[in-house]
mmCIF file of all heavy atoms in Angstrom:
data_model
loop_
_atom_site.group_PDB
_atom_site.id
_atom_site.type_symbol
_atom_site.label_atom_id
_atom_site.label_comp_id
_atom_site.label_asym_id
_atom_site.label_seq_id
_atom_site.Cartn_x
_atom_site.Cartn_y
_atom_site.Cartn_z
ATOM 1 N N SER A 10 7.058 4.441 -6.045
ATOM 2 C CA SER A 10 8.512 4.538 -6.004
ATOM 3 C C SER A 10 8.969 4.214 -4.588
ATOM 4 O O SER A 10 8.159 4.171 -3.659
ATOM 5 C CB SER A 10 8.992 5.933 -6.410
ATOM 6 O OG SER A 10 8.474 6.907 -5.528
ATOM 7 N N ALA A 27 -0.628 9.764 -6.302
ATOM 8 C CA ALA A 27 -2.000 9.303 -6.548
ATOM 9 C C ALA A 27 -2.884 10.441 -7.027
ATOM 10 O O ALA A 27 -3.747 10.923 -6.301
ATOM 11 C CB ALA A 27 -2.565 8.684 -5.272
ATOM 12 N N ALA A 30 -7.138 10.389 -6.938
ATOM 13 C CA ALA A 30 -7.618 9.308 -6.075
ATOM 14 C C ALA A 30 -8.088 9.819 -4.731
ATOM 15 O O ALA A 30 -7.529 10.759 -4.187
ATOM 16 C CB ALA A 30 -6.515 8.277 -5.859
ATOM 17 N N ALA A 34 -4.888 2.410 -1.281
ATOM 18 C CA ALA A 34 -4.412 1.269 -0.501
ATOM 19 C C ALA A 34 -3.084 0.769 -1.054
ATOM 20 O O ALA A 34 -2.760 1.006 -2.217
ATOM 21 C CB ALA A 34 -5.442 0.140 -0.530
ATOM 22 N N LYS A 63 0.694 -4.386 11.458
ATOM 23 C CA LYS A 63 0.313 -3.419 12.506
ATOM 24 C C LYS A 63 1.479 -3.181 13.452
ATOM 25 O O LYS A 63 2.134 -4.123 13.893
ATOM 26 C CB LYS A 63 -0.889 -3.938 13.288
ATOM 27 C CG LYS A 63 -2.214 -3.710 12.593
ATOM 28 C CD LYS A 63 -3.368 -4.221 13.434
ATOM 29 C CE LYS A 63 -4.689 -4.030 12.712
ATOM 30 N NZ LYS A 63 -5.838 -4.592 13.478
ATOM 31 N N VAL A 100 -15.659 6.867 -2.466
ATOM 32 C CA VAL A 100 -15.584 6.328 -1.112
ATOM 33 C C VAL A 100 -14.793 5.034 -1.093
ATOM 34 O O VAL A 100 -14.636 4.365 -2.122
ATOM 35 C CB VAL A 100 -16.997 6.080 -0.537
ATOM 36 C CG1 VAL A 100 -17.780 7.372 -0.454
ATOM 37 C CG2 VAL A 100 -17.735 5.039 -1.369
ATOM 38 N N TYR A 113 -8.159 1.081 -9.955
ATOM 39 C CA TYR A 113 -6.928 1.676 -10.473
ATOM 40 C C TYR A 113 -5.714 1.111 -9.736
ATOM 41 O O TYR A 113 -5.709 1.011 -8.497
ATOM 42 C CB TYR A 113 -6.953 3.203 -10.311
ATOM 43 C CG TYR A 113 -8.135 3.842 -10.982
ATOM 44 C CD1 TYR A 113 -9.270 4.180 -10.256
ATOM 45 C CD2 TYR A 113 -8.123 4.093 -12.353
ATOM 46 C CE1 TYR A 113 -10.372 4.756 -10.865
ATOM 47 C CE2 TYR A 113 -9.218 4.667 -12.976
ATOM 48 C CZ TYR A 113 -10.332 4.993 -12.232
ATOM 49 O OH TYR A 113 -11.425 5.550 -12.846
ATOM 50 N N VAL A 122 13.661 -8.086 1.399
ATOM 51 C CA VAL A 122 14.232 -8.044 2.740
ATOM 52 C C VAL A 122 15.060 -9.305 2.943
ATOM 53 O O VAL A 122 14.529 -10.425 2.876
ATOM 54 C CB VAL A 122 13.135 -7.942 3.815
ATOM 55 C CG1 VAL A 122 13.764 -7.793 5.201
ATOM 56 C CG2 VAL A 122 12.194 -6.783 3.530
#
Side-chain angles (χ1 to χ4, degrees):
S10 61
K63 279 181 182 177
V100 299
Y113 303 98
V122 184

